[in-house]
Amino acid sequence: MFRPLALFIGLRYTRAERSNRFISFISLISMIGLTLGVAVLITVLSVMNGFDRELKTRILGMVPQATVSAAEVIGDWKQLADRIKEEDPEVAAVAPFIQLQGMLTSNGQVAGIMVTGIEPEYEKKVSIINDHMTEGSIDTLKSGDFSIVLGEEMVQSLGLTIGDKVTLVLPEASPSPAGVIPRFKRFTLTGIFSISPEVDSLMAFIPMEDAAKLLRLPEGAQGIRLKLNDIFTAPIAAQKAAAIAPDYLYPNDWTQTHGNLFGAIQMEKAMVGLLLFLIILVAAFNIVSSLVMLVTDKKADIAILKTFGASPRLITQIFMVQGVVIGFIGTIAGTILGVIFALTISDILGWINQSFGLNLFDAYFINYLPSQLRLVDVVLITGASFILSFLATIYPARRAAKIQPAQTLRYE
């Protein structure tokens, strides 16, 4: 059966046992370097993609993406919310809120908390809280019942269970015959959510009307929360919403509260990707060195081939096949390993963390290692590795093509 001569000889050189074992060792190191470089780069970028996803879905699913607030209570907040949705197609949903800060105390334990007064019907449309309830529901937040929904971390730290009473202490003081004392109110725990350690330990939800009573505010909302189709349009969307009533509305968005965290993840992804790409680059240079030594070792074979009429182009193709085979095997092996690690690293590190009690994720906003494998990353990394491997073969192959048969065979 007909086969291209360059491919036939190149593959034969690849399969044959070389007399110079050092050249074989360098070729093996090049292949292993490519494999490790591609595998590690795919795995690490998948982990960074996972952190990026968790930030968008968990943190930004609870923290308002954009808000408009007023110094005074917005009495006709429903009319304002409808107008915001009508004037900006990027706004997917809206919800009113009232925010207050205080301390929760129960069973002798005290913890600071950020409490948000919500309307459950509207909150479901802008927040992921209802999808992460471990017990109860936000529908249990009914005006006048003074019910509260807390995060799992806060519940554990205060030693609470569903139905228990917890006291909310406000920083504002009230005069009484006994003197000035802080204001407080007892709430009933009706729901527990689990989002992330950071969110679970800081946020609580109560009915909006109850929040207004605690702050002695008239009926209405302090602000309107926006959920957007594209979170990166948050600054513009907030400005548009505030422009409806610029005299008393002021905008805010997630880039001001959590933009640094998102920017840090993006920067780390770019820098780590660049540093790990150098591993692939070093492996490509190893291909150059191994092929240069191979050309030196095969000078006599090249001279004989040229004597039989082999063209410089054929010689170039023979040695390019050598480098391409090394690059192909290394890249494919690295891609397979990288995909396997990217899909299983969360479970592997989770098992290690749990088995040895290492607390590896205490410094992060989530309690596990996320990983999201993206096809575009795999294609880019694999393609870049193939291209570098191919480029690495050009110089040694062209050098082989320039060998003069007469001068080489004179000393053989």
Side-chain angles (χ1 to χ4, degrees):
M1 182 167 47
F2 172 79
R3 282 190 291 181
L5 185 59
L7 181 63
F8 175 76
I9 299 175
L11 292 177
R12 187 176 180 86
Y13 275 170
T14 303
R15 293 194 304 266
E17 184 179 352
R18 294 170 182 165
S19 57
N20 192 333
R21 294 187 177 275
F22 182 70
I23 300 175
S24 300
F25 177 74
I26 295 297
S27 299
L28 179 62
I29 291 298
S30 304
M31 195 179 299
I32 293 175
L34 274 178
T35 300
L36 292 178
V38 171
V40 172
L41 190 52
I42 290 175
T43 304
V44 172
L45 288 185
S46 297
V47 170
M48 301 305 293
N49 291 335
F51 275 108
D52 185 41
R53 178 198 63 200
E54 292 300 316
L55 175 63
K56 291 178 181 178
T57 57
R58 287 180 178 263
I59 302 300
L60 296 183
M62 291 293 291
V63 174
Q65 297 176 4
T67 63
V68 286
S69 304
E72 300 178 356
V73 171
I74 305 172
D76 56 345
W77 63 265
K78 290 185 179 180
Q79 181 180 354
L80 176 62
D82 292 338
R83 188 173 173 186
I84 290 173
K85 288 189 65 177
E86 290 174 1
E87 296 190 5
D88 191 349
E90 283 296 324
V91 178
V94 293
F97 67 87
I98 293 177
Q99 280 193 333
L100 57 145
Q101 295 183 3
M103 293 185 299
L104 289 178
T105 176
S106 179
N107 299 322
Q109 303 293 322
V110 180
I113 196 74
M114 174 68 75
V115 181
T116 304
I118 63 171
E119 291 285 344
E121 179 185 353
Y122 287 86
E123 190 68 17
K124 292 177 183 179
K125 300 176 183 178
V126 300
S127 171
I128 62 172
I129 181 175
N130 203 50
D131 299 327
H132 293 270
M133 298 294 298
T134 57
E135 294 185 58
S137 167
I138 63 170
D139 291 326
T140 58
L141 298 178
K142 297 180 179 179
S143 299
D145 290 348
F146 288 97
S147 51
I148 190 170
V149 170
L150 296 175
E152 195 170 39
E153 291 283 327
M154 180 62 72
V155 168
Q156 292 177 358
S157 65
L158 297 179
L160 299 171
T161 57
I162 291 292
D164 287 350
K165 300 290 184 179
V166 60
T167 302
L168 174 63
V169 182
L170 299 180
E172 298 180 10
S174 301
S176 72
V180 177
I181 60 173
R183 287 196 289 131
F184 58 89
K185 181 66 181 177
R186 288 177 67 80
F187 284 81
T188 302
L189 179 63
T190 59
I192 302 172
F193 63 87
S194 178
I195 306 292
S196 71
E198 182 186 57
V199 172
D200 294 353
S201 61
L202 292 178
M203 299 185 70
F205 298 90
I206 62 175
M208 191 170 72
E209 288 188 16
D210 292 351
K213 291 177 183 178
L214 284 175
L215 295 178
R216 297 174 181 175
L217 298 175
E219 184 177 351
Q222 285 182 339
I224 305 294
R225 172 177 174 174
L226 316 180
K227 181 181 180 182
L228 307 170
N229 295 321
D230 182 2
I231 63 172
F232 295 104
T233 62
I236 298 175
Q239 292 289 344
K240 283 184 178 180
I244 295 175
D247 294 336
Y248 73 98
L249 291 179
Y250 56 92
N252 194 10
D253 63 88
W254 70 270
T255 61
Q256 301 175 24
T257 57
H258 289 76
N260 291 337
L261 179 59
F262 183 81
I265 291 177
Q266 295 299 310
M267 179 64 72
E268 287 179 10
K269 181 179 177 181
M271 295 307 298
V272 169
L274 178 61
L275 292 175
L276 293 177
F277 184 72
L278 294 178
I279 299 177
I280 300 176
L281 194 60
V282 170
F285 278 112
N286 284 338
I287 293 176
V288 175
S289 61
S290 64
L291 288 181
V292 168
M293 288 187 288
L294 180 62
V295 168
T296 304
D297 187 54
K298 298 294 185 180
K299 277 186 177 182
D301 293 359
I302 297 170
I304 294 171
L305 285 172
K306 280 197 167 185
T307 302
F308 284 125
S311 64
R313 182 179 179 181
L314 177 63
I315 301 299
T316 301
Q317 292 173 348
I318 289 173
F319 286 92
M320 288 184 73
V321 168
Q322 290 267 305
V324 168
V325 167
I326 294 174
F328 179 81
I329 296 175
T331 301
I332 294 301
T335 301
I336 294 172
L337 284 177
V339 169
I340 292 173
F341 281 131
L343 295 175
T344 59
I345 191 168
S346 298
D347 296 332
I348 293 173
L349 284 186
W351 177 81
I352 293 174
N353 187 53
Q354 185 176 5
S355 299
F356 298 96
L358 299 178
N359 300 320
L360 296 174
F361 311 112
D362 288 352
Y364 299 100
F365 56 85
I366 50 178
N367 54 7
Y368 71 100
L369 188 70
S371 178
Q372 182 183 23
L373 183 66
R374 291 180 180 173
L375 179 61
V376 63
D377 288 337
V378 176
V379 171
L380 286 175
I381 294 168
T382 304
S385 180
F386 276 134
I387 292 172
L388 283 177
S389 301
F390 175 76
L391 294 177
T393 64
I394 294 177
Y395 169 72
R398 290 175 65 88
R399 181 173 174 177
K402 292 180 181 179
I403 290 177
Q404 298 298 323
Q407 294 181 1
T408 302
L409 293 177
R410 182 185 303 172
Y411 302 102
E412 293 294 331

